Amino acid sequence: MEQLDTDGVARSLAGGFVFHSRPRCSLTRAQERLVFWSLVGVCFGAAIGFAVLGYWLVLPFAGLEIGLLAWALETMRKRESDYETLTIDGDAVVLEWRAGRRHGRREMNRHWVQIACDCSAPGKNCRLRVRSHGCETEVGHHLSDEARLRLAATLRSKLQA
Amino acid sequence: MKSMWKQAGIMGAALAASRPALAEWAFNLQTPASEVAEHVFQLHNLIMLVCLGIFVVVFGAMFYSLFKHRKSVGHKAAHFHENTTVEVIWTVIPFVILMGMAYPAAKVVIDMKDTKNPDMTVKITGYQWKWGYDYLNDGISFYSNLSTPREQINGTSAKGEHYLLEVDEPMVVPVGKRVRLLITANDVLHSWWVPALGAKQDAIPGFIRDSWFKADKIGTYRGQCVELCGKDHGFMPIVVEVVSEEDYKAWVAKKKGTAQVAAADDSKTFEVAELVERGEKVYQANCAACHQANGMGLPGAFPAINGSKVATGPIADHIAVVMNGRPGTAMAAFAGQLSDADIAAVVTYQRNAWDNKMGDAAQPAEIAAARGGAAEAAAPAAQ
Amino acid sequence: MSDVAHAHDDHGHHAHPTGIMRWLTTTNHKDIGTLYLFFALIMLFAAGSMALLIRAELFQPGLQLMHPDFFNQLTTMHGLIMIFGVIMPAFSGFANWQVPLMLGAPDMAFPRMNNWAFWVLPVAGLMLMSSFLLPGGAVAGGWTMYPPLFIQGGISYDLTILAVHIMGLSSIMGSINIITTILNMRAPGLTLMKMPLFCWTWLITAYLLIATMPVLAGAVTMLLTDRNFGTHFFNAAGGGDPVMFQHIFWFFAHPEVYILILPAFGIVSQVIPTFARKPLFGYASMVYATASIAILSFIVWAHHMFTVGMPAAAQLFFMFSTMLIAVPTGVKVFNWVATMWKGSMTFETPMLFAIAFVCLFTIGGFSGLVLAIAPVDIQLHDTYYVVAHFHYVLVSGALFAIFAGIYYWMPKWTGHMYDETLGKWHFWLSVIGMNIVFFPMHFLGLAGMPRRIPDYALQFTEFNQIATYGAFIFGFSQLIFLAVVLKSIKGGAKAPARVWEGAEGLEWTVPSPAPYHTFETAPVVK
């Protein structure tokens, strides 16, 4: 068993190889509720207090901001069920993934699979792509750059084996 | 607690006594001249002593550690990283010390807020940039302007002893009397402060807030506006002259006499030259700070009067601007601040000074008429 | 998973943005952290130059160099830029660099929003700075923007309100990003109570920012409508109340004061254990103390307004609640001293700045305690004593912690050790200069010198001259800092992954410089 950063787990099965990774989600529901509702309480508490005294213009800004916060938390929740799994079993290379509502599965032949890793874009993260028959699929979304590079090296060695 | 108070008092007295030797090097609050200021002085000394004690203990420990527990002398790091007992102790001890400070502080707060049973009441109004005083019991009103000449400020003449802390008309109060202050402002926020008397109160336009002092010693006490109020915030000092009861009575009588002379001026008709001469003085005291002595103003901030549409246009409009101001700008309404004769004089001066050779004049009677007109215009609106 | 296929993207080489576009489009947390820090550095020199002009005018009584109105513009802009353009962006820069590294996270939770949060800042900064060129000059009403004075000003006042809005928007986006990153992107097993204290302080800071920013936005918007659309929120003649602005403003600005110092506590809590070679003393109590300070910050705002004249009961309440803040702050100072106690200390530049922080911040804390006592505050409010107090807290507090943090993490960021000799020069000149500027201001305030005045009475001359000498020492010694930073970026001794012998935490397990910059030049792996 190899650990890839802390986000992806690469596991060598009998004769095969599985890479599985998910986004981070260390925030529990209870913590999320506490943070969100206490901020709603403080923001709207102050805003409503001032509004009652006639200074109502704090209120719309509180609303906008809580809206942005709610969007951010919701977006994180949507990422929660994302995953990537890449299995190499014999000559079959299977890639399964889910991102938000979209999901997919691709089966490839080990001999035709190429790994491309491009780190040349300054200001952007490295991109790791699995290429076969002219189609590319990006993997390693939830990894840091260094873990992505390590994954590339691991995959390349596994594909050649 | 009582002994700490005493100690603080002794320390304070020692500091106060050492002051003459230090000349200008003042290291503590000004020598108090009222009971409230005295309490504040002692309170400050007490807190300073406590802080100093804590500082010495805590940083004594830290500097001991810095010298003894360093790698270069071969000290090996210990590995403790918590100790509940110690942590509770150093939470509780500061709390107890704070309670000790809170009690005397609370007494002074309550004393300062107690404005009941005054011997006399003075209403103080902040203007950009001068103070107005109304003695409600004696019926005296006057304005108090900075009297330091502009040449001293610009550095073209030597600075006097009370540079920037001197006024043309000081506030005069009798010694040993409780003076209640009703403080407000006409335009923006100001703050009235005389350190030695321990009285400071923000002046808020549209609201009247009160404060009080009782001066213990005859003398002259100086302070300044302490709330940013625009360009000449640094140039609106406060001078309070504390005098004996008899001197105060004499001052009141003299003030009432000059008020009568001023009232008589309002019903006179002046020559243009007389008005221009009088107007120049009024201009220097009230207008020159913004519009400048040469009438050129400050581009972008304060408009020029020299060659302006107002000063070379119809005289009635000119009078209206001076009397009613320009709402939303720093241009104040001078109707309430200047007498009819002074407004007539300053308008005449502005129309005849510099390149404005209008040759016409405003008379006090026209100002009085303009006041009456404004009152009539307001009356139907009120109905 | 960016959908499937960039079909036939065989060559895999897009035209990659270079030069300015690279920085404009970057979503990498390290790049954005760097941008924040450079923005703060530039603004530090801009607002610092204003401070030197102010001190030059105050070198002697009389008006020598400038008109009073320009003086007021300088004090106002110095305050606004130092707070919103230097201290806050610098802390955001630290958060961007360090939080993902400390949590072992690949990047921030919302990289694109991170990019926006930074890039609106220079826009606001430019708006503020350019207002000097407008008719009537820049804002001169004080950074606190009190009406009615603020209503009187010209076009630059509206521009400033807009700039404050933009900076607020930047802060909100930045804080939401940081709060979600810290809460949701922690490595498995890194529970909240195991996080480095820097993350804790930023978590609480971000919380405070989100809680109070709408109040600032509302307050300045009401100023804007009072100025331009005939409302009377703060106009007594129209039924409003100018004092309510102060209540609303300080309801935002007191938490803001802690926003400016809590991340500094975090940095110092990372630095001291490293150089004492001993774990931080009382980690849990540090977290609780930080949280208590944050909670108390919501109920102390009116101590900024003791002189507006409020009932005795209100004065007592705000006095007691303010004094209470001394307890958790004291706990922090005691914990830092206890961390040093029986350690095995060395004194590299970050440690020197951290020690100076503990000592001098405490002086600022004590003058804060003096000012908490309502009767004493009434005597000292709006005098130079207050100026001395908040500069001890913000210069030897926030700014020194920023210096400590830069020296501490710069080898990790650039891959090169900084020049230790120059660093020590920078430290000693700064700490001496800083005390020469600000310590005499206590005496000036006690003797009765009001703040925000361009000219003063003769008895204040000596201390003002001393302060001006100190200001120039302090100001010019920051050029050494600039030299150290540039030198370390260009080259120097190679830094190992664990830069400091006693350093603990995830950020020291990745190579120095933190990898991204090495990939930049690495060949495409095929």
Side-chain angles (χ1 to χ4, degrees), chain A residues 3 12-13 26 47-48 52 56 60 75 78 92 95 111 122 131 148 151 161:
Chain A
Q3 193 80 20
S12 298
L13 297 171
S26 50
I48 291 170
V52 166
W56 57 274
T75 307
K78 278 190 192 145
L95 181 61
H111 301 289
R131 186 186 294 168
R148 218 169 278 144
L151 176 63

mmCIF file of all heavy atoms in Angstrom, chain A residues 3 12-13 26 47-48 52 56 60 75 78 92 95 111 122 131 148 151 161:
data_model
loop_
_atom_site.group_PDB
_atom_site.id
_atom_site.type_symbol
_atom_site.label_atom_id
_atom_site.label_comp_id
_atom_site.label_asym_id
_atom_site.label_seq_id
_atom_site.Cartn_x
_atom_site.Cartn_y
_atom_site.Cartn_z
ATOM 1 N N GLN A 3 0.910 5.432 0.037
ATOM 2 C CA GLN A 3 0.111 6.610 0.363
ATOM 3 C C GLN A 3 0.503 7.715 -0.609
ATOM 4 O O GLN A 3 1.668 8.011 -0.814
ATOM 5 C CB GLN A 3 0.418 7.054 1.802
ATOM 6 C CG GLN A 3 -0.556 8.055 2.363
ATOM 7 C CD GLN A 3 -1.835 7.377 2.836
ATOM 8 O OE1 GLN A 3 -1.865 6.188 3.088
ATOM 9 N NE2 GLN A 3 -2.905 8.143 2.930
ATOM 10 N N SER A 12 -1.951 -1.735 -4.215
ATOM 11 C CA SER A 12 -1.637 -2.820 -5.142
ATOM 12 C C SER A 12 -2.421 -4.046 -4.739
ATOM 13 O O SER A 12 -2.250 -4.560 -3.644
ATOM 14 C CB SER A 12 -0.142 -3.121 -5.105
ATOM 15 O OG SER A 12 0.565 -1.985 -5.526
ATOM 16 N N LEU A 13 -3.316 -4.467 -5.623
ATOM 17 C CA LEU A 13 -4.058 -5.693 -5.351
ATOM 18 C C LEU A 13 -3.243 -6.860 -5.895
ATOM 19 O O LEU A 13 -2.210 -6.676 -6.508
ATOM 20 C CB LEU A 13 -5.415 -5.651 -6.058
ATOM 21 C CG LEU A 13 -6.340 -4.546 -5.592
ATOM 22 C CD1 LEU A 13 -7.537 -4.482 -6.516
ATOM 23 C CD2 LEU A 13 -6.777 -4.774 -4.161
ATOM 24 N N SER A 26 -13.229 17.723 5.740
ATOM 25 C CA SER A 26 -13.012 17.562 7.176
ATOM 26 C C SER A 26 -14.058 18.299 8.000
ATOM 27 O O SER A 26 -14.090 18.183 9.217
ATOM 28 C CB SER A 26 -11.614 18.051 7.548
ATOM 29 O OG SER A 26 -11.393 19.332 7.012
ATOM 30 N N ALA A 47 -27.471 43.719 12.039
ATOM 31 C CA ALA A 47 -28.127 44.456 10.965
ATOM 32 C C ALA A 47 -29.558 44.813 11.351
ATOM 33 O O ALA A 47 -30.010 45.943 11.130
ATOM 34 C CB ALA A 47 -28.112 43.633 9.682
ATOM 35 N N ILE A 48 -30.262 43.853 11.947
ATOM 36 C CA ILE A 48 -31.652 44.129 12.331
ATOM 37 C C ILE A 48 -31.688 45.148 13.463
ATOM 38 O O ILE A 48 -32.505 46.064 13.468
ATOM 39 C CB ILE A 48 -32.382 42.823 12.707
ATOM 40 C CG1 ILE A 48 -32.566 41.973 11.441
ATOM 41 C CG2 ILE A 48 -33.727 43.111 13.350
ATOM 42 C CD1 ILE A 48 -33.061 40.567 11.699
ATOM 43 N N VAL A 52 -33.717 48.595 13.145
ATOM 44 C CA VAL A 52 -34.781 49.028 14.049
ATOM 45 C C VAL A 52 -34.560 50.480 14.459
ATOM 46 O O VAL A 52 -35.494 51.266 14.587
ATOM 47 C CB VAL A 52 -34.835 48.106 15.294
ATOM 48 C CG1 VAL A 52 -35.691 48.716 16.393
ATOM 49 C CG2 VAL A 52 -35.352 46.729 14.903
ATOM 50 N N TRP A 56 -31.010 51.211 8.223
ATOM 51 C CA TRP A 56 -31.345 49.911 7.640
ATOM 52 C C TRP A 56 -30.375 49.448 6.566
ATOM 53 O O TRP A 56 -30.463 48.325 6.101
ATOM 54 C CB TRP A 56 -32.755 49.963 7.050
ATOM 55 C CG TRP A 56 -32.911 51.059 6.028
ATOM 56 C CD1 TRP A 56 -33.234 52.349 6.275
ATOM 57 C CD2 TRP A 56 -32.696 50.958 4.624
ATOM 58 N NE1 TRP A 56 -33.250 53.071 5.114
ATOM 59 C CE2 TRP A 56 -32.916 52.238 4.075
ATOM 60 C CE3 TRP A 56 -32.354 49.907 3.769
ATOM 61 C CZ2 TRP A 56 -32.786 52.507 2.724
ATOM 62 C CZ3 TRP A 56 -32.235 50.170 2.414
ATOM 63 C CH2 TRP A 56 -32.446 51.454 1.900
ATOM 64 N N PRO A 60 -29.087 44.954 3.694
ATOM 65 C CA PRO A 60 -28.832 44.325 2.392
ATOM 66 C C PRO A 60 -27.432 43.739 2.283
ATOM 67 O O PRO A 60 -27.259 42.667 1.673
ATOM 68 C CB PRO A 60 -29.022 45.470 1.395
ATOM 69 C CG PRO A 60 -29.129 46.714 2.186
ATOM 70 C CD PRO A 60 -29.536 46.334 3.557
ATOM 71 N N THR A 75 -21.422 24.731 -2.296
ATOM 72 C CA THR A 75 -20.504 24.235 -3.320
ATOM 73 C C THR A 75 -19.599 23.151 -2.744
ATOM 74 O O THR A 75 -19.331 22.139 -3.387
ATOM 75 C CB THR A 75 -19.649 25.391 -3.855
ATOM 76 O OG1 THR A 75 -20.532 26.432 -4.258
ATOM 77 C CG2 THR A 75 -18.806 24.964 -5.032
ATOM 78 N N LYS A 78 -21.443 19.948 -2.460
ATOM 79 C CA LYS A 78 -21.633 19.273 -3.742
ATOM 80 C C LYS A 78 -20.388 18.497 -4.144
ATOM 81 O O LYS A 78 -20.477 17.510 -4.855
ATOM 82 C CB LYS A 78 -21.958 20.312 -4.819
ATOM 83 C CG LYS A 78 -23.415 20.719 -4.845
ATOM 84 C CD LYS A 78 -23.697 21.543 -6.084
ATOM 85 C CE LYS A 78 -25.055 22.222 -5.997
ATOM 86 N NZ LYS A 78 -25.016 23.536 -6.644
ATOM 87 N N ALA A 92 -6.664 -4.410 -18.626
ATOM 88 C CA ALA A 92 -7.765 -3.447 -18.565
ATOM 89 C C ALA A 92 -7.413 -2.287 -17.645
ATOM 90 O O ALA A 92 -6.966 -2.472 -16.512
ATOM 91 C CB ALA A 92 -9.037 -4.124 -18.070
ATOM 92 N N LEU A 95 -11.189 3.763 -15.656
ATOM 93 C CA LEU A 95 -11.214 5.035 -14.944
ATOM 94 C C LEU A 95 -12.664 5.377 -14.664
ATOM 95 O O LEU A 95 -13.490 5.444 -15.564
ATOM 96 C CB LEU A 95 -10.564 6.096 -15.828
ATOM 97 C CG LEU A 95 -10.472 7.495 -15.264
ATOM 98 C CD1 LEU A 95 -9.651 7.520 -13.991
ATOM 99 C CD2 LEU A 95 -9.840 8.418 -16.295
ATOM 100 N N HIS A 111 -1.974 -1.189 -23.084
ATOM 101 C CA HIS A 111 -0.881 -0.931 -24.011
ATOM 102 C C HIS A 111 -1.047 0.377 -24.764
ATOM 103 O O HIS A 111 -0.114 0.884 -25.370
ATOM 104 C CB HIS A 111 -0.762 -2.096 -24.993
ATOM 105 C CG HIS A 111 -0.508 -3.383 -24.283
ATOM 106 N ND1 HIS A 111 0.685 -3.657 -23.678
ATOM 107 C CD2 HIS A 111 -1.330 -4.441 -24.020
ATOM 108 C CE1 HIS A 111 0.612 -4.838 -23.103
ATOM 109 N NE2 HIS A 111 -0.612 -5.334 -23.279
ATOM 110 N N PRO A 122 2.864 28.470 -15.755
ATOM 111 C CA PRO A 122 3.083 29.200 -14.508
ATOM 112 C C PRO A 122 1.767 29.767 -13.991
ATOM 113 O O PRO A 122 0.949 30.245 -14.773
ATOM 114 C CB PRO A 122 4.050 30.323 -14.899
ATOM 115 C CG PRO A 122 4.165 30.299 -16.372
ATOM 116 C CD PRO A 122 3.426 29.140 -16.929
ATOM 117 N N ARG A 131 -4.235 9.349 -21.480
ATOM 118 C CA ARG A 131 -4.544 9.534 -22.894
ATOM 119 C C ARG A 131 -4.627 8.169 -23.573
ATOM 120 O O ARG A 131 -3.801 7.301 -23.341
ATOM 121 C CB ARG A 131 -3.427 10.363 -23.504
ATOM 122 C CG ARG A 131 -3.656 10.766 -24.937
ATOM 123 C CD ARG A 131 -2.420 11.446 -25.469
ATOM 124 N NE ARG A 131 -2.143 12.715 -24.809
ATOM 125 C CZ ARG A 131 -0.989 13.378 -24.952
ATOM 126 N NH1 ARG A 131 -0.022 12.875 -25.681
ATOM 127 N NH2 ARG A 131 -0.811 14.524 -24.353
ATOM 128 N N ARG A 148 0.522 14.772 -7.434
ATOM 129 C CA ARG A 148 0.144 14.477 -8.808
ATOM 130 C C ARG A 148 1.377 13.958 -9.578
ATOM 131 O O ARG A 148 1.280 13.026 -10.361
ATOM 132 C CB ARG A 148 -0.385 15.753 -9.441
ATOM 133 C CG ARG A 148 -1.549 15.501 -10.363
ATOM 134 C CD ARG A 148 -2.202 16.809 -10.760
ATOM 135 N NE ARG A 148 -3.122 17.284 -9.748
ATOM 136 C CZ ARG A 148 -3.305 18.569 -9.437
ATOM 137 N NH1 ARG A 148 -2.596 19.493 -10.044
ATOM 138 N NH2 ARG A 148 -4.163 18.918 -8.527
ATOM 139 N N LEU A 151 1.989 10.476 -8.500
ATOM 140 C CA LEU A 151 1.006 9.578 -9.097
ATOM 141 C C LEU A 151 1.401 9.281 -10.539
ATOM 142 O O LEU A 151 1.314 8.129 -10.995
ATOM 143 C CB LEU A 151 -0.390 10.205 -9.037
ATOM 144 C CG LEU A 151 -1.501 9.402 -9.720
ATOM 145 C CD1 LEU A 151 -1.706 8.054 -9.039
ATOM 146 C CD2 LEU A 151 -2.818 10.172 -9.720
ATOM 147 N N ALA A 161 4.618 -2.340 -16.397
ATOM 148 C CA ALA A 161 4.858 -3.635 -15.765
ATOM 149 C C ALA A 161 4.100 -4.755 -16.469
ATOM 150 O O ALA A 161 3.079 -4.527 -17.061
ATOM 151 C CB ALA A 161 4.443 -3.580 -14.303
#
